[in-house]
């Protein structure tokens, strides 16, 4: 066996100590506070969906879901799965504009669901859509802007060319959940149309949903596979005040 000078042995021992400390630190970092505990704006929500991307401009994302138990501990109930977002990636909620192809980055409540069919075991308020259902974004009619319409009457002021015919998106809207993005308030029925006493901002766009993905990016929604969407719908519980947090992974903890 070859013998080494004492100074070499001392240096080697120091190196081993540094490497050992680094190896110990990595599991501690990886096993730190669950991601929902590091998010700023989820309030008292006990169900959190998190969609992240590698940057602001990509339309490819990953989506995961977390549940807080009665013991206060967060547990992941859906491991990260592939997702698609707007064709122009993410934009801060305050900067997002209609027709930009951007998904708003921020924290949003998950309010209600709709779709071509209703899976068994769904607790969210849910509507099975048909050919009468529309979602208009006509800036010339602010009171119906971003308001779900169950039918269009002859007195409607919004233009069909500025609205989504929900029934025509039979794959994407097989299942969907509405995000609380730029939604108006105090909705009432007037002449057969649902109108808002406090309209949405007609510059910011709307109809931001969590829905079933197809083969490409979205116009601003976040989309996952049909299987994942059905699983999420059955899991979501309004009493747990579910939210979705979306944004690039580098800033998600500030969304």
């Amino acid at each position: 066996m070859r013998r080494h000078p004492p100074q070499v042995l001392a240096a080697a021992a120091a190196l081993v100590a540094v490497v050992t400390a680094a190896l110990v630190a990595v599991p501690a970092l990886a096993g730190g506070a669950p991601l929902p505990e590091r998010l700023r704006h989820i309030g008292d929500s006990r169900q959190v969906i998190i969609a992240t991307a590698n940057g602001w401009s990509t339309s490819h994302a990953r989506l995961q879901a977390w549940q807080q138990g009665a013991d206060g501990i967060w547990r992941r109930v859906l491991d990260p799965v592939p997702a698609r977002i707007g064709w122009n990636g993410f934009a801060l909620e305050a900067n997002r504009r209609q027709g930009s192809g951007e998904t708003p980055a921020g924290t949003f409540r998950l309010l209600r669901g709709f779709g071509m069919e209703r899976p068994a075991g769904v607790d969210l308020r849910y509507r099975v859509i048909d050919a009468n259902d529309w979602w208009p974004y006509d800036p010339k009619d602010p009171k119906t802007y971003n308001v779900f319409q169950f039918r269009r009457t002859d007195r409607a002021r919004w233009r069909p060319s500025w609205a989504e015919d929900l029934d025509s998106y039979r794959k994407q809207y097989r299942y969907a959940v509405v995000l609380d993005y730029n939604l108006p308030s105090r909705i009432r029925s007037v002449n057969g149309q649902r109108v808002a006493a406090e309209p949405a901002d007609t510059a910011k766009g709307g109809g931001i949903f969590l829905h079933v993905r197809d083969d490409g990016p979205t116009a601003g929604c976040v989309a996952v596979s049909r299987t994942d969407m059905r699983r999420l719908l059955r899991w979501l519980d309004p009493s747990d005040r579910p939210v979705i947090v979306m944004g690039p992974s580098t800033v998600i903890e500030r969304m």
Side-chain angles (χ1 to χ4, degrees):
M1 178 182 294
R2 182 181 177 183
R3 295 183 178 277
H4 298 280
Q7 60 269 32
V8 173
L9 295 176
L15 178 60
V16 169
V18 171
V19 172
T20 301
L23 291 175
V24 170
V26 169
L29 180 63
L35 182 53
E37 291 187 8
R38 306 199 302 270
L39 300 176
R40 292 186 179 181
H41 302 119
I42 64 172
D44 59 356
S45 174
R46 295 193 297 267
Q47 288 186 328
V48 179
I49 296 174
I50 304 169
T52 56
N54 290 334
W56 289 96
S57 60
T58 179
S59 70
H60 293 271
R62 304 283 288 178
L63 183 144
Q64 57 187 288
W66 292 75
Q67 175 78 52
Q68 186 181 46
D71 56 5
I73 296 175
W74 285 98
R75 296 174 176 86
R76 191 157 59 189
V77 297
L78 179 65
D79 289 334
V81 297
R84 296 302 295 272
I85 58 174
W87 65 74
N88 277 328
F90 280 120
L92 287 173
E93 176 187 3
N95 300 333
R96 202 264 180 184
R97 292 294 178 265
Q98 178 169 316
S100 66
E102 295 168 323
T103 297
T107 300
F108 308 96
R109 292 179 299 159
L110 297 168
L111 299 175
R112 58 189 181 273
F114 69 88
M116 302 300 302
E117 60 185 47
R118 179 192 181 105
V122 174
D123 291 326
L124 280 181
R125 185 157 54 101
Y126 194 95
R127 178 179 175 86
V128 176
I129 58 175
D130 57 31
N132 294 313
D133 293 315
W134 296 77
W135 201 289
Y137 320 96
D138 190 344
K140 289 189 175 182
D141 190 16
K143 290 186 177 181
T144 62
Y145 190 94
N146 207 21
V147 179
F148 195 163
Q149 302 294 333
F150 302 148
R151 63 192 176 103
R152 186 175 192 276
T153 70
D154 293 337
R155 296 184 179 184
R157 297 176 60 191
W158 53 270
R159 296 164 290 179
S161 59
W162 287 80
E164 282 189 76
D165 177 1
L166 300 181
D167 182 69
S168 66
Y169 296 91
R170 304 184 72 84
K171 179 176 182 179
Q172 295 95 322
Y173 295 159
R174 176 68 57 182
Y175 313 116
V177 177
V178 180
L179 276 61
D180 184 19
Y181 168 78
N182 193 34
L183 291 179
S185 60
R186 297 170 55 199
I187 308 299
R188 59 196 178 95
S189 180
V190 177
N191 295 326
Q193 295 296 278
R194 302 179 71 238
V195 301
E198 298 178 8
D201 184 341
T202 59
K204 295 182 64 173
I208 303 299
F209 311 131
L210 171 63
H211 65 68
V212 177
R213 62 182 292 184
D214 58 10
D215 297 328
T218 72
C221 298
V222 57
V224 294
S225 73
R226 182 186 297 192
T227 298
D228 291 330
M229 192 65 216
R230 185 167 52 240
R231 180 178 175 183
L232 288 169
L233 268 173
R234 289 171 172 166
W235 165 71
L236 287 168
D237 184 345
S239 67
D240 284 337
R241 297 170 291 280
V243 298
I244 185 169
V245 186
M246 306 190 293
S249 56
T250 54
V251 298
I252 193 68
E253 294 181 25
R254 301 197 296 274
M255 291 292 97

